[in-house]
Amino acid sequence: MLQQLEMLSEARYMHDTFRYQSHSEKDTKDQIVSHSFSLSKVNYQKGICSSNRKTLILEQLQEALDNLNCMILDMKELVVFMSSYPHLYRQPYSMHLLLGNCMFGRQMEAELVLNFLLHTQPHGAEELEVLPVVGPGRVGKTTLVTHVCNDERVRGHFSEIMFLSDHDLKDENLSYIGERCVKKYQTSMLNKHGRMLVIVEVAGDINIDEWKRFYAASKWCMRNGSKFIITSRSDKITKLGTVRAVTMKYLSDEAYWYFFKTLTFGSTDPMMHQRMAYLAMEIARMMNQCLLGATGTICVLMNNFDIRYWCKVLTFLRGLVKWYDSKFGEDPCDALNQNRSAHLWRMESHF
């Protein structure tokens, strides 16, 4: 079922790509929009003529249609599967209301973390459970854990939630943490559980010896049912987990485009502004799946809902990426995702 939903998402992305490209080519003839468009899913060889490009696009569309036909024939199974779930509320007028209250594209990861936290160990279990959360920089590990910790069920399940860094695991800090745990244990005797949740954010590679000392010290001062979550870019922390690690990846092209389009247009139907939808898709492609850069760019587009202004934004981003690649040999969004300093231009000074 998940594969079928993924294929539907890819088909929708291909549909948007073809539709907005066709509209852009028509506008090019009218001297409205003159930018060329390239599919992120199809790598065209340099020098292919326009007719061959259209033929290749049509072949891609035909393949997508064939996949859709196969899925439609098997849709009864999906309907039966989905009917067992409770009905959702009607889609709000503004999609901002929906995306503002959820972790977009991270529902599965959030559910895994939530199930881990609310799972109750058998009575008498001595080991404290540890969940590693692994993923590249700026992928949303801390945001995911924070989002789950804000859930009322999690807050009601644990008496205290403590956020630490790998620096706090050093020997000189263990005494302070131990005193805090003992104090919490003494006060928690008045309630029914006294469980603690400790989130450890690791900047680089974790020191295994420091972690073992910290874990051993925590076992004698933390009550049964207390748990750990470790977040890191390094997959070395997976060996520290007592359960299977949650691995996070960047959003797919389809999910990123849906996220960008939905927040940019809000309650406005992109079909009513196909030229601007084409520009938005090109701008999203220049973002290279960078959520940090997308947030600021979306605000600029929302506050200046004008096709000429959006053309200037696209021209600016193309120039920035080209200059950055020639000077530093990489995409500026890659530097941001890896938490490295990036030399960026001010957009206002170029307009």
Side-chain angles (χ1 to χ4, degrees):
M1 291 300 174
L2 292 177
Q3 291 179 348
Q4 288 181 334
L5 292 175
E6 183 177 354
M7 292 175 66
L8 282 172
S9 177
E10 293 177 356
R12 178 59 184 268
Y13 179 71
M14 183 67 67
H15 176 264
D16 285 352
T17 301
F18 179 74
R19 170 178 292 169
Y20 299 145
Q21 181 195 11
S22 300
H23 204 282
S24 173
E25 291 176 351
K26 179 181 178 181
D27 290 340
T28 301
K29 297 178 182 179
D30 297 334
Q31 301 298 320
I32 297 178
V33 179
S34 60
H35 300 297
S36 61
F37 180 82
S38 60
L39 283 169
S40 61
K41 287 291 184 180
V42 183
N43 295 322
Y44 292 104
Q45 296 181 356
K46 188 176 181 180
I48 295 181
C49 62
S50 177
S51 61
N52 289 337
R53 290 180 59 192
K54 292 182 179 179
T55 301
L56 188 56
I57 293 174
L58 290 175
E59 291 177 355
Q60 293 285 333
L61 280 176
Q62 185 61 48
E63 182 180 355
L65 288 175
D66 292 340
N67 291 333
L68 286 174
N69 289 331
C70 293
M71 285 185 285
I72 290 174
L73 295 177
D74 199 31
M75 190 56 66
K76 290 183 179 180
E77 181 181 351
L78 178 61
V79 172
V80 173
F81 176 77
M82 298 299 294
S83 62
S84 62
Y85 283 81
H87 295 286
L88 297 176
Y89 294 103
R90 293 185 60 186
Q91 178 173 311
Y93 177 73
S94 175
M95 286 299 294
H96 294 279
L97 299 178
L98 180 62
L99 294 183
N101 296 312
C102 72
M103 277 288 295
F104 178 82
R106 304 299 185 192
Q107 290 82 0
M108 183 179 297
E109 291 88 345
E111 192 68 21
L112 290 174
V113 177
L114 185 63
N115 290 339
F116 164 78
L117 295 178
L118 299 182
H119 174 262
T120 303
Q121 290 180 277
H123 182 70
E126 297 182 357
E127 295 296 325
L128 300 178
E129 291 187 304
V130 181
L131 172 66
V133 179
V134 185
R138 305 288 184 180
V139 77
K141 300 182 294 294
T142 301
T143 304
L144 171 68
V145 174
T146 303
H147 175 77
V148 175
C149 289
N150 286 331
D151 192 293
E152 293 183 358
R153 292 169 292 178
V154 175
R155 292 189 172 275
H157 189 75
F158 295 96
S159 298
E160 183 176 359
I161 300 177
M162 185 187 306
F163 285 84
L164 304 176
S165 67
D166 51 344
H167 178 73
D168 296 319
L169 305 184
K170 298 184 181 298
D171 292 336
E172 58 267 23
N173 297 324
L174 288 180
S175 58
Y176 165 74
I177 297 175
E179 292 174 359
R180 186 173 179 181
C181 291
V182 171
K183 181 179 179 181
K184 189 63 185 178
Y185 177 80
Q186 293 173 347
T187 57
S188 66
M189 296 301 293
L190 300 177
N191 59 44
K192 61 180 180 180
H193 50 78
R195 292 182 288 261
M196 292 185 63
L197 171 60
V198 180
I199 294 97
V200 182
E201 298 181 354
V202 181
D205 290 333
I206 190 171
N207 188 307
I208 302 298
D209 293 333
E210 291 180 353
W211 167 256
K212 289 182 178 179
R213 288 194 293 269
F214 173 75
Y215 183 79
S218 301
K219 289 175 63 176
W220 68 267
C221 69
M222 295 174 65
R223 297 196 63 177
N224 181 44
S226 298
K227 299 188 179 184
F228 292 94
I229 295 179
I230 311 177
T231 66
S232 176
R233 302 179 186 181
S234 174
D235 57 2
K236 293 181 180 180
I237 66 169
T238 56
K239 64 179 68 175
L240 305 178
T242 59
V243 296
R244 186 175 181 179
V246 174
T247 303
M248 300 184 64
K249 299 179 180 179
Y250 292 118
L251 295 177
S252 64
D253 292 337
E254 299 81 18
Y256 187 84
W257 162 237
Y258 181 80
F259 169 81
F260 194 93
K261 176 180 66 174
T262 302
L263 289 185
T264 301
F265 287 92
S267 59
T268 303
D269 186 2
M271 289 298 299
M272 302 299 295
H273 305 274
Q274 293 195 22
R275 289 176 292 169
M276 300 184 74
Y278 155 72
L279 292 173
M281 179 173 278
E282 278 290 273
I283 292 172
R285 189 176 65 86
M286 301 304 298
M287 291 288 98
N288 198 21
Q289 298 183 340
C290 178
L291 294 176
L292 181 63
T295 304
T297 304
I298 288 172
C299 291
V300 172
L301 298 179
M302 290 174 56
N303 295 332
N304 301 274
F305 201 82
D306 177 76
I307 188 171
R308 298 184 184 277
Y309 191 91
W310 286 22
C311 285
K312 293 180 180 180
V313 173
L314 178 57
T315 302
F316 166 81
L317 291 175
R318 283 174 170 167
L320 172 62
V321 171
K322 183 178 180 180
W323 170 82
Y324 204 95
D325 181 69
S326 63
K327 189 173 182 63
F328 301 101
E330 64 175 346
D331 191 289
C333 292
D334 292 337
L336 292 176
N337 287 335
Q338 297 174 17
N339 204 27
R340 293 185 285 107
S341 59
H343 301 271
L344 304 178
W345 296 346
R346 290 185 60 87
M347 188 176 297
E348 295 85 353
S349 61
H350 288 75
F351 285 9

